[in-house]
Amino acid sequence: MNVKYITPAVTAFTSDFHVDMEANRQIYDHLIAGGMDGILILGSIGEFFAIPQEEKKRMIREALAYVDHRVTVYVGTGGTVFEECAELSRYALEQGADGVMVIPPYYFNLPDSAVLDFYDTLAGRIEGPLLLYNFPARTGYDLKPQVVLELARRRKNIVGIKDTVDVMGHTRALIQTVKKEFPDF
């Protein structure tokens, strides 16, 4: 079996609540030395929601330059403003990210049709790999296997998912539903 280990990275901050790039470089080095095949920056544990857009861009630029393709780097680019999410996704990919991971809109419980429209529109506005981010405990709804399959059918740049759920059955259902048609998903 071909297995790769990609871990979400915490974000270190200075005492005045700005991103501490020196401390973050130490975190990246620690994860790489520990055998990780990839790092996800600005995910939930990376506190993406607490960092202003321009500071995120600086972090993305400096992190990608520092890691310098030693491992795969995915960047969380989700947010509550669609245009900012699209802009940050394009920026991360232009800076050399191996892909972006985007949590769907949160706060409101959305129907599947709205989630489909969100990801379909976003994937159409970026050039590069997009990973879905299913985190029902934070969004209030689940990216169902059929929704994920439909998104993979609509957009070739939707290439994977981070499935943050508390039951393995959901991930198993995703694999059984999506991998038949998209074995590399």
Side-chain angles (χ1 to χ4, degrees):
M1 176 170 28
N2 185 10
V3 176
K4 289 191 175 188
Y5 296 95
I6 299 170
T7 187
V10 298
T11 299
F13 292 92
T14 63
S15 61
D16 61 347
F17 309 108
H18 291 283
V19 172
D20 184 338
M21 281 313 300
E22 178 54 38
N24 284 301
R25 284 189 284 272
Q26 291 175 22
I27 292 168
Y28 307 149
D29 284 339
H30 177 76
L31 294 172
I32 293 167
M36 291 296 108
D37 299 301
I39 300 169
L40 165 67
I41 64 170
L42 293 173
S44 298
I45 199 167
E47 301 195 49
F48 75 92
F49 51 84
I51 303 171
Q53 187 85 339
E54 288 308 310
E55 196 160 358
K56 287 180 190 178
K57 286 182 176 181
R58 180 178 67 85
M59 182 180 176
I60 291 166
R61 183 178 60 252
E62 292 184 22
L64 291 168
Y66 184 74
V67 172
D68 193 27
H69 304 285
R70 291 180 285 161
V71 296
T72 299
V73 178
Y74 294 117
V75 178
T77 56
T80 56
V81 178
F82 179 82
E83 288 303 327
E84 288 180 4
C85 174
E87 175 191 344
L88 195 61
S89 296
R90 287 189 298 270
Y91 182 82
L93 292 164
E94 289 165 3
Q95 293 299 308
D98 294 289
V100 295
M101 181 197 71
V102 178
I103 195 166
Y106 45 91
Y107 188 78
F108 293 104
N109 190 352
L110 299 176
D112 292 343
S113 60
V115 175
L116 284 163
D117 288 344
F118 169 79
Y119 278 120
D120 187 33
T121 303
L122 178 62
R125 292 199 188 176
I126 65 171
E127 292 184 25
L130 170 61
L131 291 104
L132 311 173
Y133 186 8
N134 187 39
F135 199 171
R138 296 294 172 264
T139 61
Y141 54 89
D142 179 47
L143 293 178
K144 297 175 192 81
Q146 283 305 123
V147 170
V148 174
L149 177 61
E150 177 61 26
L151 287 166
R153 286 174 174 162
R154 287 184 185 189
R155 298 289 180 169
K156 294 197 183 312
N157 62 332
I158 296 178
V159 299
I161 187 168
K162 180 177 188 290
D163 197 27
T164 305
V165 295
D166 58 1
V167 292
M168 189 62 191
H170 184 274
T171 305
R172 185 180 316 106
L174 276 170
I175 292 167
Q176 292 169 340
T177 302
V178 179
K179 295 282 267 183
K180 282 188 246 175
E181 193 169 328
F182 298 96
D184 293 332
F185 190 85

